[in-house]
Amino acid sequence: MSTRRHPTSASAREPDARYLQPAPAVSTLVDSCVLIDVLADDPQWADWSITQLERCAQQGPLIINPLILAELSPRFETAAELEATLAELPLQRQALPWDAAFLAGQAFKLYRQHSGHQTSPMPDFYIGAHAWVNQLQLLTRDAVRYRRYFPKLTLVVP
């Protein structure tokens, strides 16, 4: 005689099926160096950058901010040319969060304490702070700087 019991009532079912839920989207802030690799068809880095952009786009939105746009702009003669090129890429724009300003300043202070020579916070500090504050992963080739000043930031790097 079998003593095995089969659940038959609603209360015997699993109360929660979180494992059936899709994983939350992971948004990615894309550093300008990765976009420059693609736009310039860099012989060393373009393939890696394209592959990582495609992989990150499958996880969630690809994001740029005004500083990243500014770092791209010298490669174009007009704003319209830059906008037309960016329109071909699946990028979303996001403003710099105010909370990132303080964090960028703190990273800059550490930089200066380690004999850094710049006299004002560099764009990388704002970019790292933006990613951290908005809980974005950062797609970049500049692993050393971001790991030093934003050690808990999730990086997608070579």
Side-chain angles (χ1 to χ4, degrees):
M1 175 178 198
S2 173
T3 58
R4 192 169 165 193
R5 299 174 76 182
H6 297 282
T8 56
S9 69
S11 63
R13 281 190 245 141
E14 186 174 336
D16 179 333
R18 286 178 285 197
Y19 63 89
L20 296 175
Q21 304 282 332
V26 176
S27 298
T28 304
L29 188 62
V30 181
D31 201 0
S32 59
C33 61
V34 172
L35 295 171
I36 292 167
D37 291 344
V38 174
L39 297 174
D41 195 22
D42 184 275
Q44 182 178 355
W45 291 106
D47 289 341
W48 180 86
S49 293
I50 290 167
T51 299
Q52 297 310 309
L53 283 166
E54 289 171 346
R55 188 180 67 75
C56 290
Q58 290 174 355
Q59 297 173 349
L62 300 176
I63 297 168
I64 61 171
N65 66 30
L67 291 170
I68 294 165
L69 184 83
E71 289 178 335
L72 295 174
S73 69
R75 289 154 180 78
F76 297 88
E77 292 299 317
T78 65
E81 183 184 342
L82 171 60
E83 292 299 332
T85 299
L86 291 179
E88 297 174 14
L89 301 171
L91 300 170
Q92 295 179 12
R93 294 173 188 217
Q94 198 174 86
L96 285 166
W98 280 98
D99 291 342
F102 181 80
L103 186 56
Q106 294 300 302
F108 177 68
K109 182 168 81 172
L110 288 173
Y111 163 81
R112 292 289 292 175
Q113 289 171 351
H114 291 99
S115 302
H117 300 293
Q118 299 293 326
T119 57
S120 64
M122 297 177 292
D124 290 348
F125 293 132
Y126 289 105
I127 291 167
H130 178 182
W132 177 253
V133 167
N134 283 11
Q135 299 178 336
L136 309 171
Q137 66 181 4
L138 178 61
L139 174 57
T140 184
R141 286 192 290 101
D142 191 2
V144 173
R145 182 184 316 258
Y146 289 110
R147 282 198 177 119
R148 170 177 273 168
Y149 298 106
F150 302 96
K152 294 183 179 181
L153 180 61
T154 300
L155 299 177
V156 178
V157 293

